[in-house]
Amino acid sequence: MWSKVDKYIKKHNLLNSNDLHIVALSGGADSVALLLLLDEMGYSIHAAHCNFHLRGAESDRDEAFCESLCAERNIPFHRVHFDTHTYAELHKVSIEMAARELRYKWFEQLREDIGAADICVAHHRDDSVETMLLNLVRGTGLRGLCGIRPRNGHILRPLLCVSRAEIEAYLIEKGQQYVTDSTNLEADVQRNKIRLQVLPLLKTLNPAVADNIYRTAENLLEAQALIDGIVDVYKDCNSLDLRELEKYGSSKYIVFEWLKKYGFNGSQVQQITSAETGSIFHSPLGYDLLVDRDRLMVEPAFISQKPWAIPEEGTFILDERRRFSVRKAPVYISQDPDKATVDASKVVFPLTLRRVENGDWMIPYGMKGRKLLSNLMTDRKMSLFEKRKQLVVVDAQGGIVWLVGIRTDQRVAVSDNTETVLELFISERSS
C-alpha cells in the first residue's frame, strides 16, 4: 500500500517534500493510516484534531488517543474544541453540516497560522464510491459522478487510490491501533445507508462492484477534464454562440458549466437551451441572461435609471464612467456617430436624457415619415440588452432630438438656414 499511495501522490502531484503538510487526524483507521504513511514517506507533517463534543466520553477518548499517537511518533499535535450543537442552532444547519463547516474553517486558519502548504484528509476509494452513488440517487450531472477529487484547493486526498479494506490490512500488519466512531455503525444517515446496506447488496451482484464504480468515476473524471478545457475557452466571455458549440456535438452541458458562475441552476439551463429568442432569465446572483437567436448573453441585472435633466449648455456627469456635453459650435454636420449636431434654434431647453420608452418615435434624419424607435433598433439587429440600455435626448417640447449614437431627428436637422449648431455627445470621464 505504501507504494500504491506513493505513486498516486506523484501521479497527481499532491505533495512536495519541501513543504509542511497538515494531516486531519480523527483517530479512525483512515486518518491514522494517512498519518503513518506520510510520516514514513518522510514528509514534514503536523496533525490536527477536532473535538466536536458530540459523543460524550467517546469524543474525549478520540482526542486522547490522537495526542498519544502523535507524541509516540514525535509529530506536532494541534487540537480544537467546538460547541457543535450551538453552532448548528445559530446557523440553522444540520449537525453534519455544522461539523463540516467548523472543521474546514479551522483547518484553513491553522494552515495559514503555521505556514503549511495544504491539509491532507483521509478520504479513500470507498468514500469516493459512496459519494458517487449518493449523487446519483439525488440527481447530478457529470461532475457529481466523478466521485471525490484528489485535490480541491488546499484540501488533498492522498488515499483515494486505496480501499477501506486495504487500510485496515495495512494497520493490522503494522500492529497499529485506532479508534472507532460508533455512529459510523448506525444506518441513520444517507451515507451510512449506502455503506452498510446498498453496497453490500450490490456486492451480491458483483463482488468487484466498488472497484468498477471507482474506475468508472476515474473515466468520467477524464471526460470532465476535457469539458473543463472547453469551458475555459469561454470562461471570460459574456456571450456564447450556440452554433459554434455544435462542433462539440452537444452544447447543453457546456452551457451549464459556463452559466454556473453566474448562479444559474440546472433546471434553468434546461429551459434556456429550448427557449425562444428574446427570452430573459434571472439568476439569484444578480445576472440576466438573454436568448438572442443562436446566442446567449449575460450581463448584470437590469436596473432602472432615472432620467437626467440637462437644463442648459455645459457638461453633466452621468455616472462614474460617463459625462454628457452640450455646447454651441459653428455650423457643420457631424459624421461621428457618438456626436450629434442639430440646429440650435430648433431645440428647446431643458433637455432630458433618458432610456427609450414604449411608443417613442422620431423622423429619422434623411426620412419624411415617423418611425418607432423600437422598429429602428430592430432594423439595426440590436439585442434586447442593447435596446433596454439605449438612450435618447428629448427636448422641452417632447420631441426626440437624438437617438444617441444612431440617428438625429429630421425636424432639428442642420439646414442651409442654420446659423448655429448644438453639439451633443457622451464621452468617457477622465481618471
Side-chain angles (χ1 to χ4, degrees):
M1 191 172 108
W2 192 100
S3 176
K4 197 171 182 179
V5 173
D6 185 53
K7 289 179 181 178
Y8 187 79
I9 289 172
K10 291 175 180 175
K11 174 184 176 181
H12 294 281
N13 193 28
L14 295 181
L15 301 175
N16 188 319
S17 59
N18 296 321
D19 291 334
L20 173 62
H21 310 282
I22 294 172
V23 176
L25 181 65
S26 68
D30 310 335
S31 64
V32 169
L34 177 61
L35 185 82
L36 267 57
L37 281 165
L38 297 189
D39 188 35
E40 291 171 0
M41 291 175 181
Y43 291 106
S44 176
I45 59 174
H46 283 206
H49 176 80
C50 300
N51 188 332
F52 296 104
H53 291 283
L54 294 174
R55 294 173 288 118
E58 193 175 280
S59 294
D60 296 331
R61 175 209 65 182
D62 294 353
E63 179 184 337
F65 171 83
C66 292
E67 182 179 20
S68 176
L69 175 62
C70 291
E72 290 173 8
R73 303 188 70 91
N74 198 31
I75 297 172
F77 178 69
H78 306 267
R79 82 190 86 193
V80 67
H81 290 241
F82 294 120
D83 185 348
T84 313
H85 282 291
T86 299
Y87 181 93
E89 291 174 3
L90 288 174
H91 293 82
K92 309 300 181 184
V93 296
S94 67
I95 291 296
E96 292 78 11
M97 181 56 68
R100 175 183 174 82
E101 291 179 1
L102 290 167
R103 175 168 64 246
Y104 283 106
K105 285 179 183 177
W106 179 64
F107 285 160
E108 177 58 24
Q109 185 60 59
L110 178 63
R111 186 190 69 81
E112 294 177 356
D113 289 345
I114 67 175
D118 40 58
I119 303 108
C120 300
V121 296
H123 292 122
H124 50 73
R125 184 207 65 185
D126 296 354
D127 291 321
S128 186
V129 169
E130 292 165 10
T131 296
M132 182 178 176
L133 289 174
L134 274 173
N135 290 341
L136 185 62
V137 170
R138 293 167 178 165
T140 186
L142 179 59
R143 193 179 300 278
L145 294 177
C146 294
I148 302 175
R149 297 193 173 202
R151 177 189 292 274
N152 181 15
H154 293 300
I155 304 298
L156 309 183
R157 301 179 176 94
L159 297 187
L160 284 179
C161 59
V162 295
S163 67
R164 169 77 181 193
E166 289 176 291
I167 289 172
E168 291 177 347
Y170 166 77
L171 294 175
I172 290 172
E173 181 183 345
K174 299 286 294 182
Q176 175 62 56
Q177 298 294 315
Y178 56 89
V179 295
T180 301
D181 181 347
S182 61
T183 60
N184 286 338
L185 303 179
E186 302 170 5
D188 60 349
V189 293
Q190 288 183 323
R191 182 174 290 275
N192 282 350
K193 288 179 180 178
I194 294 286
R195 179 183 304 150
L196 301 175
Q197 298 174 8
V198 176
L199 276 172
L201 179 60
L202 291 176
K203 286 178 181 178
T204 64
L205 302 175
N206 184 350
V209 65
D211 288 329
N212 292 341
I213 292 175
Y214 179 74
R215 281 196 295 271
T216 298
E218 288 277 286
N219 293 336
L220 293 175
L221 192 59
E222 291 293 322
Q224 182 67 60
L226 290 174
I227 293 176
D228 287 343
I230 295 171
V231 174
D232 281 346
V233 174
Y234 304 101
K235 67 180 181 180
D236 295 325
C237 301
N238 58 7
S239 66
L240 202 61
D241 189 334
L242 297 180
R243 291 171 299 179
E244 183 180 333
L245 299 184
E246 290 176 359
K247 61 187 176 183
Y248 302 114
S250 175
S251 63
K252 188 175 295 185
Y253 192 77
I254 297 172
V255 170
F256 170 74
E257 290 292 324
W258 177 68
L259 288 178
K260 190 166 57 177
K261 68 179 179 180
Y262 297 111
F264 293 94
N265 57 43
S267 62
Q268 286 179 300
V269 171
Q270 292 284 349
Q271 299 172 41
I272 288 167
T273 52
S274 59
E276 296 180 354
T277 187
S279 300
I280 289 184
F281 296 83
H282 311 283
S283 85
L285 296 185
Y287 288 92
D288 290 346
L289 177 139
L290 169 67
V291 180
D292 186 44
R293 302 176 183 86
D294 293 315
R295 181 172 292 278
L296 303 180
M297 307 171 67
V298 177
E299 66 176 31
F302 182 69
I303 300 175
S304 60
Q305 175 64 58
K306 292 181 178 180
W308 292 275
I310 312 297
E312 57 190 9
E313 296 176 51
T315 297
F316 304 86
I317 303 302
L318 301 182
D319 52 41
E320 66 275 4
R321 296 185 301 106
R322 302 172 300 168
R323 59 187 178 183
F324 180 71
S325 298
V326 184
R327 65 190 181 194
K328 289 180 179 177
V331 178
Y332 78 101
I333 297 177
S334 172
Q335 302 299 317
D336 184 349
D338 294 324
K339 180 181 289 187
T341 48
V342 296
D343 190 323
S345 66
K346 298 176 181 178
V347 177
V348 181
F349 282 95
L351 306 180
T352 300
L353 178 67
R354 61 168 172 80
R355 287 178 171 148
V356 172
E357 297 175 355
N358 290 334
D360 278 346
W361 61 272
M362 68 186 301
I363 301 176
Y365 178 69
M367 297 178 62
K368 294 183 178 180
R370 66 168 62 184
K371 190 163 186 175
L372 288 172
L373 299 192
S374 58
N375 293 336
L376 192 59
M377 292 186 289
T378 298
D379 291 345
R380 296 176 63 88
K381 293 183 168 53
M382 293 174 64
S383 72
L384 188 56
F385 277 175
E386 292 171 317
K387 290 178 180 179
R388 69 185 189 179
K389 291 184 291 186
Q390 178 62 49
L391 297 173
V392 292
V393 177
V394 184
D395 76 354
Q397 296 176 322
I400 301 293
V401 174
W402 182 31
L403 182 60
V404 177
I406 298 178
R407 193 78 66 90
T408 56
D409 191 285
Q410 179 65 37
R411 293 168 294 176
V412 294
V414 176
S415 67
D416 293 340
N417 298 322
T418 300
E419 297 180 356
T420 306
V421 302
L422 203 61
E423 289 181 332
L424 312 171
F425 59 95
I426 294 177
S427 58
E428 296 291 325
R429 290 179 61 182
S430 58
S431 57

